[in-house]
């Protein structure tokens, strides 16, 4: 995978330090992989800003990663096959991960209650069909309202699925807030669940405005007027989100103006992002908000993760949270109608 620049990692470390705290408390993550002797993968934080990205290196099938941490935070491990697994960091805690590189969905994490609960949920849903997982997620969360693992499960399986259930997510998050009144990330997610109602199939595209990388004003007017409109969330270090932009850009060029695309950049390395966009001749609007997921752009558009997307036809929602291949297939189909 593409490596971020030294400047970016310096920025990342500072942000990660601020998010987790600057005192003496630390969180340690160590792991062992089968079928992976040497390699690397990314880690970023859901709490405190999406610019918290770093590289974890595996040597002889093992790795150790340690960060300052004075309050609970959720880390996301991003593997070379683009699969993601959460790790819940706590001050002074140590978590051990064991996994087979050929079957990462069987990853086990031990050391804290939240990580062991997440492992139990992974095992419970390992052989479940996509249609079964939301119901299993709802039942699991209802029984563990006080866990950080449940916050992630609601986000991933009720809000970011191809058929999101924002009403159930909002209800569960409200119940969780009663059990976790000091959890600020939970409160933000609850607010996000409310805003995501704007992305329900058939909903009208919300009006929005913002500024691009060069400070120019950008609005929803062109997207609303197009036969097909697509908004995405991207980061220069996330290969899949950038691949989606390149493929959308090729479709846009041959659409005769019928396809309009816009992306929200969730990346602190603006120079690197500009270079990549220029190299790939991507000249559709790229919004940037230094508040990242706390910014107005993602809230207005209902984007909830890097790589997230919403597809519109004639200004109304067709669907969201497509994989790159599914996204391109959907857009091609809509353009033919």
């Amino acid at each position: 995978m593409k490596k971020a620049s030294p400047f970016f990692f310096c920025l990342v470390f500072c942000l990660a330090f601020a998010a987790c705290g600057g005192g003496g408390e630390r969180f340690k993550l160590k792991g062992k992989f089968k079928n992976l002797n040497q390699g690397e993968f990314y880690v970023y934080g859901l709490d405190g800003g999406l610019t918290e990205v770093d590289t974890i290196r595996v040597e002889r099938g093992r790795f150790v990663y340690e960060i300052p941490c004075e309050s609970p935070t959720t880390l996301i491990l991003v593997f070379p096959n683009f699969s993601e697994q959460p790790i819940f960091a706590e001050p002074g805690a140590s978590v051990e991960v064991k996994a087979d590189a050929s079957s990462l969905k069987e990853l086990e994490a031990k050391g804290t209650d939240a990580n062991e609960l997440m492992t139990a949920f992974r095992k419970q849903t390992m052989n479940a069909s996509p249609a079964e997982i939301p119901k299993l997620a709802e039942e699991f969360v209802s029984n563990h309202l006080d866990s950080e693992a449940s916050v992630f499960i609601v986000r991933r399986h009720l809000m970011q699925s191809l058929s999101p259930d924002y009403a159930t997510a909002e209800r569960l998050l409200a119940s969780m807030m009663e059990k976790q009144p000091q959890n600020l990330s939970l409160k933000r997610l609850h607010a996000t669940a409310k805003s995501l109602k704007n992305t329900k199939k058939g909903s009208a595209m919300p009006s929005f405005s913002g500024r691009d990388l060069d400070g120019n004003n950008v609005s929803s007017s062109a997207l609303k007027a197009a036969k097909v409109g697509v908004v995405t969330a991207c980061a220069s270090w996330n290969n899949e989100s950038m691949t989606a932009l390149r493929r959308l850009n090729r479709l846009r060029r041959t659409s005769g103006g019928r396809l309009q695309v816009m992306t929200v950049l969730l990346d602190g390395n603006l120079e690197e992002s500009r270079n990549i966009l220029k190299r790939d001749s991507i000249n559709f609007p790229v919004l940037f908000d230094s508040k990242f997921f706390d910014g107005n752009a993602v809230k207005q558009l209902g984007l909830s993760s890097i790589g997230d997307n919403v597809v519109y036809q004639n200004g109304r929602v067709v669907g969201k949270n497509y994989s790159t291949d599914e996204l391109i297939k959907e857009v091609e189909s809509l353009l033919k109608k």
Side-chain angles (χ1 to χ4, degrees):
M1 293 196 295
K2 186 180 183 300
K3 293 183 179 180
S5 67
F7 169 79
F8 187 33
F9 284 126
C10 179
L11 171 64
V12 164
F13 180 79
C14 292
L15 287 168
F17 192 86
C20 287
E25 293 284 7
R26 301 184 70 81
F27 171 75
K28 185 175 184 179
L29 176 66
K30 56 184 179 179
K32 180 179 180 181
F33 284 100
K34 289 183 180 179
N35 297 314
L36 179 62
N37 185 54
Q38 185 172 341
E40 64 181 35
F41 56 92
Y42 286 150
V43 57
Y44 69 87
L46 282 181
D47 311 312
L50 264 290
T51 50
E52 297 175 32
V53 61
D54 205 347
T55 300
I56 296 178
R57 290 179 173 83
V58 179
E59 298 285 348
R60 297 180 180 179
R62 298 177 182 272
F63 71 86
V64 177
Y65 181 72
E66 191 170 350
I67 58 171
C69 187
E70 290 190 346
S71 61
T73 190
T74 301
L75 305 177
I76 303 295
L77 307 185
V78 186
F79 296 103
N81 66 351
F82 303 118
S83 67
E84 298 186 351
Q85 296 290 356
I87 295 294
F88 306 103
E90 297 178 12
S94 178
V95 169
E96 182 174 2
V97 166
K98 292 183 180 180
D100 186 331
S102 64
S103 184
L104 291 168
K105 67 180 181 179
E106 298 180 25
L107 179 146
E108 293 188 2
K110 297 182 179 180
T112 68
D113 289 343
N115 285 290
E116 289 169 10
L117 277 174
M118 193 69 222
T119 295
F121 180 74
R122 270 193 291 267
K123 290 181 177 179
Q124 182 183 356
T125 57
M126 191 177 304
N127 297 314
S129 69
E132 294 172 327
I133 290 178
K135 185 61 178 178
L136 293 172
E138 181 182 355
E139 292 175 356
F140 190 92
V141 170
S142 296
N143 291 326
H144 302 95
L145 294 173
D146 58 349
S147 176
E148 283 284 345
S150 292
V151 181
F152 177 84
I153 289 169
V154 168
R155 181 198 299 268
R156 180 57 51 89
H157 297 291
L158 294 177
M159 295 173 62
Q160 295 177 354
S161 67
L162 282 176
S163 300
D165 184 348
Y166 301 124
T168 298
E170 186 178 351
R171 174 176 56 79
L172 289 172
L173 291 167
S175 297
M176 293 164 70
M177 287 168 61
E178 295 179 4
K179 298 288 185 178
Q180 305 179 54
Q182 304 305 316
N183 190 329
L184 296 180
S185 64
L186 175 56
K187 292 179 180 179
R188 288 196 294 268
L189 189 61
H190 183 253
T192 298
K194 289 185 176 180
S195 69
L196 284 172
K197 291 178 180 178
N198 290 334
T199 61
K200 183 179 179 181
K201 187 173 182 178
S203 298
M205 179 187 298
S207 296
F208 64 88
S209 61
R211 294 187 180 275
D212 65 12
L213 289 176
D214 299 317
N216 300 315
N217 292 326
V218 176
S219 74
S220 56
S221 57
L223 283 168
K224 283 185 174 182
K227 177 180 178 63
V228 181
V230 180
V231 295
T232 76
C234 74
S236 66
W237 52 267
N238 186 283
N239 289 345
E240 188 166 14
S241 70
M242 298 308 294
T243 296
L245 289 191
R246 296 182 189 105
R247 295 179 68 181
L248 285 169
N249 198 37
R250 288 195 290 270
L251 283 177
R252 184 185 64 85
R253 287 175 175 174
T254 59
S255 72
R258 294 177 301 150
L259 170 63
Q260 295 294 328
V261 183
M262 190 200 70
T263 191
V264 181
L265 181 69
L266 300 172
D267 193 330
N269 191 347
L270 298 186
E271 182 178 358
E272 176 75 2
S273 299
R274 283 193 181 97
N275 289 338
I276 291 174
L277 294 167
K278 183 178 180 180
R279 181 196 68 198
D280 294 328
S281 300
I282 292 174
N283 56 12
F284 52 72
V286 179
L287 270 71
F288 176 73
D289 189 327
S290 60
K291 294 182 180 180
F292 301 99
F293 273 116
D294 285 332
N296 288 330
V298 291
K299 289 179 179 177
Q300 289 173 320
L301 294 167
L303 299 169
S304 56
S305 66
I306 291 177
D308 199 0
N309 51 72
V310 185
V311 176
Y312 300 91
Q313 183 177 35
N314 300 320
R316 292 194 173 274
V317 175
V318 173
K320 72 184 304 287
N321 297 323
Y322 295 94
S323 69
T324 298
D325 287 342
E326 291 167 337
L327 174 62
I328 300 303
K329 183 178 180 180
E330 181 69 44
V331 171
E332 288 176 333
S333 175
L334 291 172
L335 288 173
K336 291 176 182 178
K337 293 181 179 179

